[in-house]
Amino acid sequence: MAKFFKQLFQGFASYITAGRLIVEHKLYWFFIAPAVIWLGIYFLGNWFDELSAAVKVTGDNMHDIMVSLLRKEFYKGLSYMFTETTKYFVIILLSPLLAILSERVELILVNREYKFNIGYFINDIKRGIRMALWCMFQEYLLFFIYLIFALIFGFPEIMNTIVALGIGFYFYGFGFIDYINERRRLNITQSVEFLRRNAGLAFGIGIIYSLIFSYVPLDLGAIFIPIFAIVAATVLMHETVDLSKNEHSIERQK
């Protein structure tokens, strides 16, 4: 338990270091893509919501009624995807940028880089997307299982909220840290095992990401927190495993 809380507070502190690195090394331009993506998600989500509301479930026969109902639910589903799962959706769309930025931060921290290989780069992106989807699926599956027990044993509503937040915190942090684990050439099973043994790292990154994403006014948190989170995750992993010892990277010659 002591290890968990130590890693948790290291995760919190890594966001402070991330802010300093972003300022010192002028990494501001990385915020452009999240801003554009967030605006796109916002307008698409509202557009699909309006389309769903505009569909009237009417018709002269059962076929017409079913078609209009399916259209309404289809638009509602798209609206939900763009408005309620944005924490993961933003990570998925930003996957190429997050992979590049994490490598850039590692270079700043330890002066080590990776030989560019288009195959590895594409795999980085695919894995980032796959892990974001996996984390989202795991989060909803675990919460669904919990809800079954909550209904059986009558857990209070506040407990449901706490459990939902806790599960989300872990998997959001997991998604960001896995970018670094991939460069350490850990496969997905090994990455899962690493985070099980070091859960405090995932919670430390995930708590700040989730709270700022959700509760900073005017949706500003959704724009800047993914960038802060990947920088913080890279800093945190360096403090934990010493990225200068990664045999898959090479020292940059000055």
Side-chain angles (χ1 to χ4, degrees):
M1 189 59 70
K3 176 184 176 181
F4 173 85
F5 282 107
K6 178 183 177 182
Q7 292 179 336
L8 181 69
F9 288 111
Q10 281 181 315
F12 295 161
S14 67
Y15 278 91
I16 299 174
T17 305
R20 178 175 56 79
L21 287 174
I22 289 169
V23 172
E24 287 183 1
H25 297 275
K26 299 178 174 59
L27 302 175
Y28 314 117
W29 70 272
F30 283 97
F31 291 107
I32 296 174
V36 172
I37 288 172
W38 177 251
L39 285 173
I41 288 173
Y42 176 81
F43 285 114
L44 280 172
N46 281 279
W47 182 52
F48 285 124
D49 191 45
E50 291 173 1
L51 287 176
S52 176
V55 174
K56 304 301 181 184
V57 183
T58 58
D60 298 328
N61 52 60
M62 183 60 68
H63 176 267
D64 292 341
I65 293 173
M66 289 301 298
V67 169
S68 59
L69 180 62
L70 287 172
R71 282 181 59 204
K72 186 178 185 68
E73 292 305 312
F74 175 71
Y75 290 138
K76 186 182 295 185
L78 289 174
S79 174
Y80 179 85
M81 182 180 72
F82 281 102
T83 58
E84 300 299 327
T85 64
T86 49
K87 291 188 185 75
Y88 286 116
F89 201 55
V90 167
I91 295 174
I92 290 170
L93 294 178
L94 285 176
S95 185
L97 185 71
L98 296 179
I100 292 170
L101 178 55
S102 184
E103 285 194 26
R104 175 77 174 274
V105 173
E106 187 170 337
L107 176 63
I108 291 170
L109 292 173
V110 297
N111 194 43
R112 295 184 71 83
E113 60 186 353
Y114 298 81
K115 290 182 178 179
F116 182 76
N117 181 301
I118 188 63
Y120 278 134
F121 181 66
I122 292 174
N123 284 336
D124 283 349
I125 296 171
K126 287 181 178 178
R127 175 156 164 166
I129 294 171
R130 186 163 63 248
M131 288 306 297
L133 291 172
W134 181 85
C135 287
M136 182 170 63
F137 173 77
Q138 291 293 318
E139 177 187 348
Y140 292 141
L141 176 62
L142 288 175
F143 187 62
F144 176 74
I145 293 172
Y146 163 79
L147 283 179
I148 294 175
F149 285 95
L151 289 171
I152 294 173
F153 297 104
F155 296 158
E157 187 65 30
I158 186 64
M159 182 64 71
N160 298 345
T161 302
I162 292 172
V163 170
L165 287 173
I167 294 173
F169 292 156
Y170 176 79
F171 284 110
Y172 298 140
F174 187 112
F176 284 105
I177 291 174
D178 188 68
Y179 281 95
I180 299 90
N181 279 342
E182 197 284 331
R183 290 202 303 278
R184 297 172 63 216
R185 300 295 184 262
L186 300 187
N187 60 37
I188 292 177
T189 301
Q190 291 169 328
S191 186
V192 169
E193 180 58 29
F194 175 84
L195 267 302
R196 281 178 180 165
R197 290 185 281 107
N198 298 276
L201 303 178
F203 277 101
I205 296 298
I207 287 173
I208 302 298
Y209 170 76
S210 183
L211 293 180
I212 291 181
F213 193 107
S214 300
Y215 299 113
V216 169
L218 304 177
D219 293 326
L220 293 176
I223 294 173
F224 70 79
I225 195 56
I227 301 303
F228 269 81
I230 192 61
V231 176
T234 308
V235 169
L236 183 60
M237 284 295 288
H238 174 50
E239 294 174 351
T240 304
V241 300
D242 190 355
L243 296 176
S244 67
K245 296 180 179 178
N246 186 355
E247 62 183 18
H248 302 288
S249 63
I250 57 174
E251 184 175 1
R252 169 174 280 191
Q253 300 301 315
K254 297 182 179 179

